[in-house]
């Protein structure tokens, strides 16, 4: 993870809970994709990296928000 950017490598991961990501991984994430999450401890862990993360609290089942840290752009989508 730490040296991957130097070599233009990408890392894609999925976790059931954002707090499962080690802080070294969280600080290197460039794009967050969030589904409905209401657990405050989960949201608290990524709020420093995604200021608008609380928007995921109201997402319907199957919907998501993607947040790109470098530009602040958000994209909403629906899987089902």
């Amino acid at each position: 993870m730490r040296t991957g950017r130097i070599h233009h490598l990408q890392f894609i991961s999925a976790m059931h809970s954002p707090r499962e990501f080690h802080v070294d991984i969280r600080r290197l994430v460039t794009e967050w994709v969030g589904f409905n999450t209401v657990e405050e401890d989960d949201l608290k862990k990524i709020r420093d990296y995604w200021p608008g993360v609380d928007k995921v609290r109201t997402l319907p089942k199957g919907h998501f928000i993607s947040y790109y840290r470098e530009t602040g752009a958000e994209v909403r989508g629906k899987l089902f």
Side-chain angles (χ1 to χ4, degrees):
M1 285 289 302
R2 292 182 182 132
T3 61
R5 286 185 179 186
I6 296 168
H7 303 289
H8 304 287
L9 298 175
Q10 293 188 11
F11 174 78
I12 298 173
S13 179
M15 292 287 200
H16 194 243
S17 170
R19 61 183 151 184
E20 293 176 15
F21 280 109
H22 189 274
V23 67
D24 287 346
I25 295 174
R26 288 195 306 263
R27 68 181 178 81
L28 293 172
V29 170
T30 55
E31 184 174 3
W32 290 94
V33 178
F35 292 83
N36 182 287
T37 305
V38 295
E39 182 60 44
E40 180 58 32
D41 287 342
D42 288 335
L43 298 171
K44 182 175 155 184
K45 290 289 185 183
I46 58 173
R47 198 170 280 129
D48 288 341
Y49 313 103
W50 179 1
V53 71
D54 289 297
K55 297 174 190 173
V56 302
R57 290 179 183 267
T58 59
L59 290 174
K61 187 175 181 176
H63 291 242
F64 67 89
I65 300 174
S66 173
Y67 171 71
Y68 189 61
R69 286 181 62 191
E70 292 181 13
T71 64
E74 288 186 352
V75 175
R76 292 176 179 253
K78 177 181 173 183
L79 291 179
F80 52 88

